[in-house]
Amino acid sequence: MEEVNNTAVAEFILSGLTENPKLQLPLFLIFLGVYLVTVVGNMGMIILILFSSQLHTPMYYLLSSLSFIDCCQSTVITPKMLMNFVTEKNVIPYPECIAQFYFFCVFAVAECHMLAVMAYDRYVAIANPLLYNVTMSYQVCLWMVVWVYGMGLLSATAHTVFLLRVLFCKTVIIKHYFCDIFPLLELSCSSTFINEVVALSFSAFNIIAPAVIILSSYVFIIVSILHVQSTGGRRKAFSTCSSHILAVALFYGSTAFMYLQPSSVSSGEQGKLSSVFYTIVVPMLNPMIYSLRNKDVKVSFKKLLKKMFPLNKD
């Protein structure tokens, strides 16, 4: 009888970022530092928003959700990748590999749509400030978050269901540092046409649709900023937008390069480099880009520190 998951292998070996022994320790230290900064930065942002009443607005609820997504996505990928730098063979069992891909897909897709929702939120706040509380009510905000995670779960489930039907009977070495769809399909000895169609279709929707929303939102934001009379206010708004656009361009550029092309065309080393940006670098940068230049966040952080560490005055 044919096995349910149609696989002839019980485990895979992740080749990692590099096989050069001289680079193993430096890369381990670098990515360990990046992971710690990512977790501290994103969890710190969530805690700050949770305990600061002045940050209890739709904008910061969405930001805290983005921080949660970034923290989870980095945790799904980075710890296993770090093992590759300190072990001779980074073995990952078949069920764990499928689970890693599933949760990576959930949070990657969720981030695509969350960035679009946040761009729309900024458009409403700048273009229609008087109607902001009505347009971005807590109920609307909640439904947007439900949509974000719903798309992540739907996409991940569709990819995984079709991936479970793939027969793996070639070499068990995955030429990547985590279990991703195209590196896995390269190991198949059965037809992967349906998998590639599903991957390209969902990738096109989950990358292009949010990207169009983001670009449209920022075009309208820029038009609104140009009508601002104050030079200082205009400069501040442009500065904030440029930071956000940089983060979005980095994330969408790297994901589009990786997923909006057939697996037969994608380059292994270039794919790894592209993946590093959206799985490791962007989750670390997002808390800095979206918060360090934010006056409200700085004030709330100082107030929270004073509550936690009150100064004794004689």
Side-chain angles (χ1 to χ4, degrees):
M1 182 178 291
E2 193 179 38
E3 290 182 307
V4 176
N5 59 17
N6 288 335
T7 181
V9 298
E11 60 186 24
F12 296 102
I13 298 174
L14 296 168
S15 65
L17 283 176
T18 179
E19 296 180 359
N20 189 337
K22 295 181 180 180
L23 295 177
Q24 300 292 329
L25 181 58
L27 287 177
F28 173 81
L29 296 175
I30 290 172
F31 285 108
L32 177 61
V34 169
Y35 178 63
L36 292 176
V37 171
T38 301
V39 172
V40 171
N42 285 290
M43 291 305 298
M45 183 57 57
I46 294 172
I47 294 171
L48 180 62
I49 294 172
L50 181 64
F51 289 99
S52 300
S53 58
Q54 59 269 38
L55 299 182
H56 290 177
T57 63
M59 171 186 173
Y60 292 106
Y61 283 139
L62 295 176
L63 180 57
S64 65
S65 186
L66 177 67
S67 294
F68 174 76
I69 291 171
D70 282 334
C71 190
C72 291
Q73 180 170 301
S74 184
T75 300
V76 168
I77 302 297
T78 311
K80 191 65 180 176
M81 183 192 71
L82 291 174
M83 291 183 61
N84 193 76
F85 298 125
V86 295
T87 57
E88 185 176 349
K89 288 185 179 180
N90 190 8
V91 177
I92 182 169
Y94 176 83
E96 185 180 335
C97 183
I98 297 299
Q100 186 189 49
F101 167 72
Y102 179 82
F103 287 108
F104 155 72
C105 190
V106 168
F107 295 116
V109 172
E111 177 143 356
C112 289
H113 292 278
M114 182 58 70
L115 290 173
V117 168
M118 291 176 68
Y120 174 74
D121 171 75
R122 289 300 82 208
Y123 158 69
V124 174
I126 294 175
N128 298 294
L130 298 179
L131 297 176
Y132 178 75
N133 290 331
V134 176
T135 308
M136 290 298 296
S137 64
Y138 289 105
Q139 185 175 4
V140 172
C141 187
L142 176 62
W143 279 111
M144 285 183 170
V145 173
V146 170
W147 163 265
V148 166
Y149 287 105
M151 288 306 304
L153 291 169
L154 175 64
S155 300
T157 301
H159 284 304
T160 306
V161 166
F162 284 100
L163 184 61
L164 289 172
R165 299 170 60 88
V166 173
L167 177 64
F168 296 104
C169 55
K170 293 183 180 179
T171 175
V172 295
I173 300 177
I174 300 175
K175 297 178 181 179
H176 210 25
Y177 60 90
F178 71 98
C179 293
D180 201 1
I181 183 69
F182 288 140
L184 278 170
L185 294 182
E186 289 179 1
L187 306 182
S188 170
C189 58
S190 59
S191 175
T192 61
F193 176 75
I194 295 179
N195 299 81
E196 293 198 29
V197 170
V198 171
L200 290 173
S201 300
F202 273 91
S203 297
F205 175 76
N206 290 320
I207 294 174
I208 295 176
V212 169
I213 295 174
I214 292 170
L215 289 175
S216 302
S217 298
Y218 277 113
V219 167
F220 287 118
I221 287 173
I222 292 172
V223 171
S224 300
I225 292 173
L226 291 176
H227 288 88
V228 176
Q229 300 297 325
S230 170
T231 305
R234 189 182 303 173
R235 187 184 300 112
K236 180 180 178 181
F238 269 123
S239 176
T240 302
C241 288
S242 63
S243 300
H244 294 185
I245 291 173
L246 176 62
V248 169
L250 191 64
F251 178 78
Y252 278 96
S254 55
T255 51
F257 176 85
M258 184 67 185
Y259 297 107
L260 294 185
Q261 58 180 330
S263 60
S264 58
V265 180
S266 60
S267 169
E269 294 304 317
Q270 289 180 336
K272 288 181 183 180
L273 182 61
S274 175
S275 299
V276 167
F277 280 103
Y278 65 82
T279 60
I280 299 173
V281 176
V282 171
M284 178 190 67
L285 293 179
N286 276 342
M288 304 177 189
I289 292 173
Y290 286 92
S291 61
L292 289 182
R293 303 177 69 177
N294 188 306
K295 184 178 178 181
D296 293 336
V297 171
K298 292 179 181 178
V299 172
S300 300
F301 181 66
K302 291 178 181 178
K303 288 183 178 179
L304 186 61
L305 285 180
K306 288 181 180 179
K307 288 182 181 179
M308 295 176 61
F309 308 103
L311 297 176
N312 295 323
K313 296 183 179 180
D314 296 331

